Amino acid sequence: MAPRPLAPTRPLNVPLLAVAGAVTVANIYFPQPLLAAVAHGLDVSERTAGLIASAAQIGYALGILLLVPLADTARLRRLTSVLLALTSTALLVAAAAPDVLTLTLATLALSTTTVLPQILTPVAAVLAGPGRRGRVVGLVGLGLTLGSTLSRTVSGTVTDASGSWRVAYGVAAVATAALLLVLPRRLPERLGPSGHTSYAGLLAGLPRLLAVHRELRISALLGACVFAAFSVFWSVLAFHLAAPPLGYGPGAAGLFGLLTLPAALLSAAAGPLADRYGASAVNAGSLACTGLGLALAGLTPSSPTALVAGANLLVVGVSSCQVANQARIFGIGRAVAARVNTVFMLATFGGGALGSLAGSWLYTAYGWQAALLAAGACVAVAGPVVVAARPAVPSCVRDVTREAGGIRPRIPQGES
């Protein structure tokens, strides 16, 4: 039996998807500035309170693996409503947590269910169509960047004003619950045609997607390499700023997040550029920006101005590279859009985790330049991948063989 056509849906509301992505991704990052206050309030060490940040990252990775693939076959409105309700409930439990164990478990739960950003991005790309895919992915990605960056500032301000870290969790719960009133009804009933693939089949098919689609392999490798370099820089920046001769306090690293907002805004241009010139062209420019930013920060380690400039170049490079990578993989086909995003994001987060570990070890053992040299090596590994890739076909060129996530017979897989 032929798959049923998608039901008509309301026009794509990109600002709403960007705001929803910003609010939900903020749930991963807003607790980070609160860890000292949590340690004091629950009478635990700062190292113990740090488990909360680890739980957030672990939960998010689990959610991407276990929940995001469901978006290819589940009813999107129902899935979105359930995830928002579970996240809001977990945030309220965290706000009332009597001890650090409860708070850590609640954080693990809420970060697992707050994976809507990785569902909304493929939804936006599919609904936008080939001609606007890069532009829309870039705008939704901008929302995610702003949400992750500004959430730290907002949560710290709310905590300072209220005198309690619990209020920040309450505010996050209200903001997340508010999305229930508007978001589900603006989504299509399904992302792709309804099918009979089991949940186990969805997960078991992830490795095959990587094996079959060259575009996914290219984007996954580029995402892992570039995010590894990004994570090296940010994992050691606070230590470098605190060390002589700079000697800045712990708030300096947080300030860097605000100082890189211009770069985050600029990276939104990567989407239209990917639509017009193809993903590989944007990838090449992104790697150049990333490498230049690392070189600037590494060669002038004592200059705050150079460090800020380097951080902005790094943010432009990494954010633009991710937009281009996702524009490429969403051309594979709407029937597998959520699953290819799952594979891509797992590769990207895996690279980031390795980068954080390597950066911390290298900085402790050999210093700032050694850590940034390792980050530069990650960028260098990504270079040949872009060079060897076949020239990109702009996403505005329709490929009817990909409508169901298929591959073209006897023709090497290119890019979309």
Side-chain angles (χ1 to χ4, degrees):
M1 180 183 295
R4 291 183 302 172
L6 292 178
T9 186
R10 296 184 181 184
L12 177 62
N13 190 328
V14 179
L16 174 62
L17 297 184
V19 170
V23 170
T24 49
V25 81
N27 293 329
I28 304 298
Y29 298 101
F30 85 81
Q32 291 178 353
L34 312 181
L35 296 181
V38 168
H40 177 75
L42 297 179
D43 195 23
V44 296
S45 68
E46 291 187 355
R47 177 176 296 183
T48 300
L51 294 173
I52 298 166
S54 299
Q57 296 296 330
I58 293 171
Y60 199 54
L62 286 174
I64 290 173
L65 174 62
L66 301 177
L67 298 179
V68 172
L70 288 171
D72 279 335
T73 58
R75 296 183 182 275
L76 279 178
R77 296 171 187 172
R78 180 183 301 172
L79 177 62
T80 299
S81 298
V82 170
L83 292 178
L84 288 172
L86 290 174
T87 303
S88 302
T89 301
L91 283 164
L92 291 175
V93 172
D99 51 54
V100 71
L101 178 60
T102 304
L103 180 57
T104 301
L105 292 176
T107 300
L108 181 67
L110 73 89
S111 58
T112 301
T113 57
T114 193
V115 290
L116 270 181
Q118 304 311 325
I119 293 175
L120 296 179
T121 303
V123 167
V126 166
L127 295 182
R132 298 175 59 224
R133 183 182 301 131
R135 181 186 303 272
V136 169
V137 169
L139 291 174
V140 175
L142 176 61
L144 304 189
T145 301
L146 294 177
S148 61
T149 300
L150 297 178
S151 63
R152 299 178 178 95
T153 304
V154 172
S155 65
T157 302
V158 168
T159 300
D160 286 342
S162 64
S164 173
W165 57 269
R166 299 180 187 274
V167 176
Y169 279 89
V171 170
V174 171
T176 302
L179 292 175
L180 271 168
L181 303 177
V182 291
L183 181 61
R185 69 182 65 179
R186 298 308 301 244
L187 297 177
E189 184 64 21
R190 294 182 183 274
L191 182 57
S194 59
H196 303 286
T197 306
S198 66
Y199 177 65
L202 289 175
L203 298 185
L206 295 178
R208 184 177 180 276
L209 288 173
L210 190 63
V212 169
H213 295 287
R214 178 173 178 261
E215 303 95 325
L216 184 54
R217 294 195 298 273
I218 291 171
S219 288
L221 182 54
L222 289 175
C225 289
V226 173
F227 202 62
F230 185 78
S231 297
V232 168
F233 178 85
W234 288 101
S235 66
V236 302
L237 177 63
F239 301 120
H240 177 66
L241 292 175
L246 294 174
Y248 292 123
L255 182 60
F256 265 68
L258 291 177
L259 293 176
T260 56
L261 281 180
L265 295 172
L266 182 61
S267 67
L273 291 175
D275 285 335
R276 183 169 184 177
Y277 299 108
S280 287
V282 177
N283 284 144
S286 301
L287 293 183
C289 285
T290 304
L292 182 59
L294 291 170
L296 187 60
L299 295 174
T300 54
S302 300
S303 169
T305 302
L307 290 175
V308 171
N312 273 274
L313 285 168
L314 198 65
V315 168
V316 168
V318 174
S319 299
S320 300
C321 192
Q322 174 149 323
V323 169
N325 287 333
Q326 289 184 304
R328 178 189 289 114
I329 64 173
F330 292 141
I332 291 174
R334 68 187 307 155
V336 293
R339 278 170 284 173
V340 296
N341 196 45
T342 294
V343 175
F344 169 71
M345 292 306 303
L346 287 176
T348 300
F349 270 88
L354 291 176
S356 295
L357 290 173
S360 299
W361 181 81
L362 286 169
Y363 181 84
T364 301
Y366 302 106
W368 174 252
Q369 277 89 357
L372 293 199
L373 187 62
C378 294
V379 176
V381 169
V385 179
V386 175
V387 173
R390 202 173 61 179
V393 179
S395 65
C396 57
V397 179
R398 183 169 180 259
D399 184 349
V400 295
T401 66
R402 296 171 180 263
E403 290 300 315
I407 59 175
R408 287 172 285 195
R410 298 187 297 277
I411 299 178
Q413 285 292 292
E415 300 173 27
S416 61

